[in-house]
Amino acid sequence: MILVTGGAGYIGAHTNKALNQAGYETVVVDNLSKGYENFVKWGHFENYDFGSKDLREVFEKYDIDGVLHFGAFSSVAESVELPQKYFKNNYKNTINLLQIMREFGVNKFILSSTAAVYGNPEKVPITEDQELKPINPYGHSKFITEKALEREAAKGDFNYVALRYFNAAGCDFDCEIGELHEPETHLIPLVLDAAIGRRDSISIFGTDYNTPDGTCVRDYIHVNDLAKAHIDAYEYLCNENESNVFNLGNGKGFSVKEIIDMVKKVTGKEFAVKLDERREGDPDILIADATKIKDKLGWTPQYDLETIVESAWNWHKKIYQD
Ligand code: UDP
């Protein structure tokens, strides 16, 4: 049985579905602070906080072989406003989970890490060996969590994979689950909100970045490609007695303006675009070099930007139009 923390949230729910479709048994642990119970359509569900000592009850009830840890707060902007909230949930509560795993002899762990651990990278595409210099509390909270895992693995009888996601986007092709944050801060769903008429306009945060068109460049990766990478990483932990860190991205960068153009193309809708101030904590360019995971695990992303936006648009229409 695989324990999936945060399995009622966006990436956790997509991975939970993929795990069940691949024949794994799962138990989702989520306190529903951000997740949705109706996103847990596969496996068991337990409403617990992974930072609580009571989490032991889940380890007593189920025969857990490994943990996929999605439970975390993930808004860069909020982390700048409320840094301690991020250090407590993303770092301290993960330590609680690791302690309980040790107690129950569960020794396989996959962390949802982030490209935000790199800060403003020295060169792009970014390889895993670049120095980690996060520039916002969200990135910092994941950086220290990776360090805690390194220490835990050094103690022996424990292996982990940290997956450094670039920009997760897109939704389940069956529209059974999707991206739904409250409040929404991510670019693609916000632009889709403008396309569907839920907001009057979309604001571009900063037009003077050191990029070809002046707007931030990011590497958008379909959530199902991320989900598949977790299964590959879990199988790697089952077969090899080692830990590792991998970037997860498409290896291609798109600017905020290019994303807006793609949404207009896919949806056929016109909407107002405002040029706004920079948002604090945003690096200019984040693009993954995902060679390492391709070489080591044989994982390759399947979906391009147009497919990402189409799948997100289908989900958006389902929840806001149907
Ligand atoms: N962004 C924007 N307008 C918005 C939301 C986001 O211009 O309404 C920009 C943001 O500044 C960043 C990029 O879009 O450069 C991606 O932001 P998102 O929050 O989706 O992901 P992040 O890169 O912060 O994880």
Side-chain angles (χ1 to χ4, degrees):
M1 176 84 65
I2 298 179
L3 175 68
V4 182
T5 76
Y10 169 48
I11 304 173
H14 282 80
T15 306
N16 184 45
K17 176 174 181 178
L19 281 165
N20 280 273
Q21 286 182 330
Y24 287 99
E25 261 198 282
T26 61
V27 54
V28 165
V29 162
D30 202 299
N31 65 1
L32 302 178
S33 68
K34 296 276 173 189
Y36 301 91
E37 194 166 350
N38 67 358
F39 276 17
V40 190
K41 299 187 197 305
W42 307 270
H44 304 270
F45 173 64
E46 298 288 345
N47 187 334
Y48 281 85
D49 189 324
F50 65 86
S52 147
K53 300 289 173 213
D54 296 344
L55 186 65
R56 276 191 186 81
E57 293 164 11
V58 175
F59 284 77
E60 276 157 9
K61 182 167 171 188
Y62 301 91
D63 188 10
I64 310 285
D65 300 303
V67 175
L68 270 61
H69 183 39
F70 297 92
F73 295 136
S74 63
S75 155
V76 168
E78 188 189 44
S79 82
V80 173
E81 290 301 310
L82 301 168
Q84 300 317 335
K85 178 175 171 183
Y86 278 67
F87 288 115
K88 164 133 194 345
N89 190 52
N90 295 2
Y91 173 70
K92 188 164 173 268
N93 289 352
T94 302
I95 301 297
N96 178 64
L97 172 60
L98 291 174
Q99 280 167 343
I100 296 174
M101 285 177 67
R102 197 45 103 170
E103 214 177 283
F104 284 83
V106 180
N107 61 5
K108 291 187 276 296
F109 188 86
I110 298 181
L111 176 72
S112 299
S113 190
T114 168
V117 295
Y118 295 110
N120 261 314
E122 256 130 53
K123 61 179 175 49
V124 278
I126 306 169
T127 47
E128 289 84 350
D129 54 5
Q130 278 201 40
E131 202 185 335
L132 305 183
K133 291 188 286 188
I135 59 166
N136 55 60
Y138 169 59
H140 214 129
S141 70
K142 292 287 184 176
F143 165 71
I144 59 175
T145 306
E146 284 196 18
K147 292 292 157 201
L149 290 173
E150 242 175 76
R151 295 288 173 191
E152 196 59 29
K155 277 168 57 186
D157 194 26
F158 176 89
N159 287 311
Y160 73 94
V161 169
L163 294 173
R164 294 180 183 153
Y165 308 159
F166 283 65
N167 287 58
C171 297
D172 177 38
F173 296 112
D174 306 324
C175 285
E176 289 186 283
I177 46 179
E179 184 166 19
L180 196 57
H181 296 109
E182 192 51 57
E184 188 54 79
T185 61
H186 294 103
L187 181 64
I188 292 178
L190 286 175
V191 185
L192 292 173
D193 273 349
I196 213 162
R198 293 186 74 234
R199 46 190 301 137
D200 299 336
S201 62
I202 182 75
S203 293
I204 298 180
F205 296 150
T207 51
D208 59 348
Y209 283 98
N210 189 16
T211 61
D213 68 18
T215 67
C216 285
V217 170
R218 295 288 181 270
D219 178 336
Y220 295 86
I221 173 93
H222 195 284
V223 66
N224 283 1
D225 280 328
L226 290 186
K228 174 67 169 59
H230 287 78
I231 296 175
D232 294 346
Y234 189 72
E235 285 168 0
Y236 164 81
L237 285 178
C238 292
N239 295 326
E240 312 278 339
N241 183 21
E242 59 186 34
S243 295
N244 227 320
V245 175
F246 298 111
N247 284 339
L248 276 185
N250 264 316
K252 293 189 194 76
F254 293 95
S255 72
V256 175
K257 280 189 178 160
E258 287 173 319
I259 295 295
I260 292 170
D261 288 346
M262 181 57 86
V263 170
K264 287 186 173 173
K265 179 182 162 193
V266 166
T267 64
K269 306 280 185 192
E270 268 306 320
F271 47 85
V273 177
K274 289 187 180 158
L275 307 183
D276 213 331
E277 294 298 306
R278 285 182 175 213
R279 187 178 74 174
E280 204 183 327
D282 276 338
D284 302 57
I285 304 185
L286 293 171
I287 302 173
D289 180 328
T291 312
K292 189 177 167 193
I293 188 166
K294 287 178 191 163
D295 290 350
K296 194 86 188 168
L297 306 188
W299 172 87
T300 35
Q302 305 291 312
Y303 306 112
D304 63 7
L305 184 69
E306 188 159 352
T307 311
I308 289 173
V309 173
E310 272 168 7
S311 64
W313 178 232
N314 288 336
W315 165 252
H316 227 74
K317 284 190 292 189
K318 174 178 164 157
I319 53 172
Y320 298 121
Q321 231 171 32
D322 287 359

